[in-house]
Amino acid sequence: AQKVTQAQTEISVVEKEDVTLDCVYETRDTTYYLFWYKQPPSGELVFLIRRNSFDEQNEISGRYSWNFQKSTSSFNFTITASQVVDSAVYFCALSETQGGSEKLVFGKGTKLTVNP
Amino acid sequence: NAGVTQTPKFQVLKTGQSMTLQCAQDMNHEYMSWYRQDPGMGLRLIHYSVGAGITDQGEVPNGYNVSRSTTEDFPLRLLSAAPSQTSVYFCASSWGGHQETQYFGPGTRLLVL
C-alpha cells in the first residue's frame, strides 16, 4: 500500500516569510518517485519537481527548495521569501511500481495563502 | 503544441444521463490517465492507458469507461451519471508512465444534479 500525507491542510503567511510544506510518504518499494505540483487559483496543475528514490540530494530552484530524507520518508518543500503569486494548493505525489503496474498517488494538498 | 486539451470545460448533467469527456494530446505520449479532484481529497486516478488499445483501472474506476483507439485521444465515458460523480476531471499524459512527469489538461468541471 502507498500513502502520501500532507498534514497541513491550510497555511497562511505574510509576504516575504519563508514557509515549508510537509510531505510524508509510505512505500514498500525501493524504487519510487516523488513529485510536487502546484495548483493556482486558476485551476491548472503545474509540475514543480520530480525526484527518484536514489537521489537524496536537496534541490534549489530560485526561491523554491526541496528536502528529501529517506530516513524519515519525507519530501518537504520550502518557499523562501514568499510572494502573493505563490498562493496556491500544493500537492505532493508518490509513484511506485507494484506487480508490474505503476500507480501515482497524490496527497490531499496544502492550501497556501500569502497575504500582502 | 497545444499540449493536453480537454472538452468541455464545464458540464451540467441530470442523474442517469451519459456523456463523454474528451481528452487529446499532441505530444505523442504513450501514457494517458484520468483523475478526479474532489474537495479535500486530492487527485484520484480513475483509469489509465499505457498505449493505444491498452487500458487499466485506477483507484476509483466504478461508473466510468475508457477506450484508447489512438495515441492522441483518451475519452472518459460516464455511463449513467450520479451526483457522486460531481467533480473536476483532469486528463494527463506522459512519456513513460506514472514515474514520469505528468502533463495535465485544464480540467472539466462536472455537475450532476
Side-chain angles (χ1 to χ4, degrees):
Chain A
Q2 54 180 338
K3 181 179 176 183
V4 177
T5 302
Q6 295 181 254
Q8 305 148 308
T9 305
E10 292 192 38
I11 300 175
S12 181
V13 300
V14 177
E15 207 169 17
K16 298 183 182 178
E17 283 187 27
D18 298 347
V19 58
T20 296
L21 309 182
D22 297 332
C23 175
V24 175
Y25 61 93
E26 296 177 26
T27 180
R28 296 177 183 175
D29 250 20
T30 55
T31 302
Y32 53 91
Y33 294 81
L34 295 162
F35 302 83
W36 276 94
Y37 284 88
K38 174 182 179 180
Q39 187 175 42
S42 53
E44 74 272 23
L45 286 154
V46 179
F47 166 77
L48 294 177
I49 191 171
R50 170 180 179 262
R51 173 70 78 226
N52 73 55
S53 54
F54 297 106
D55 183 2
E56 290 194 69
Q57 191 170 15
N58 292 332
E59 180 155 340
I60 299 174
S61 177
R63 297 184 296 107
Y64 294 173
S65 62
W66 290 267
N67 184 297
F68 177 30
Q69 292 194 334
K70 288 178 72 172
S71 61
T72 56
S73 297
S74 64
F75 187 42
N76 296 337
F77 172 33
T78 297
I79 302 174
T80 302
S82 60
Q83 299 176 2
V84 173
V85 292
D86 295 326
S87 296
V89 180
Y90 291 87
F91 292 98
C92 180
L94 166 69
S95 171
E96 65 177 2
T97 301
Q98 293 180 339
S101 176
E102 295 170 6
K103 295 291 169 63
L104 182 64
V105 175
F106 284 80
K108 295 183 179 181
T110 296
K111 182 179 181 181
L112 173 65
T113 301
V114 182
N115 298 298
Chain B
N1 287 350
V4 180
T5 58
Q6 291 183 237
T7 56
K9 290 185 178 180
F10 179 69
Q11 183 72 45
V12 179
L13 289 179
K14 294 181 179 179
T15 297
Q17 287 185 319
S18 63
M19 80 160 293
T20 299
L21 280 62
Q22 301 292 343
C23 174
Q25 53 90 10
D26 61 359
M27 296 175 281
N28 203 30
H29 287 169
E30 288 295 325
Y31 196 93
M32 297 184 74
S33 51
W34 277 102
Y35 295 85
R36 59 177 289 173
Q37 182 180 19
D38 302 295
M41 295 296 294
L43 281 82
R44 292 181 292 170
L45 182 65
I46 305 172
H47 284 287
Y48 65 99
S49 169
V50 300
I54 306 170
T55 63
D56 203 351
Q57 295 182 351
E59 181 185 355
V60 288
N62 293 340
Y64 306 95
N65 201 0
V66 293
S67 61
R68 183 96 179 271
S69 56
T70 68
T71 299
E72 294 76 22
D73 301 298
F74 190 43
L76 178 72
R77 280 180 285 276
L78 280 70
L79 307 174
S80 178
S84 60
Q85 293 178 304
T86 293
S87 187
V88 180
Y89 292 85
F90 287 96
C91 179
S93 72
S94 69
W95 290 111
H98 283 127
Q99 77 271 23
E100 301 294 337
T101 300
Q102 303 297 308
Y103 294 85
F104 286 88
T108 293
R109 186 175 296 274
L110 177 67
L111 175 62
V112 183
L113 302 174

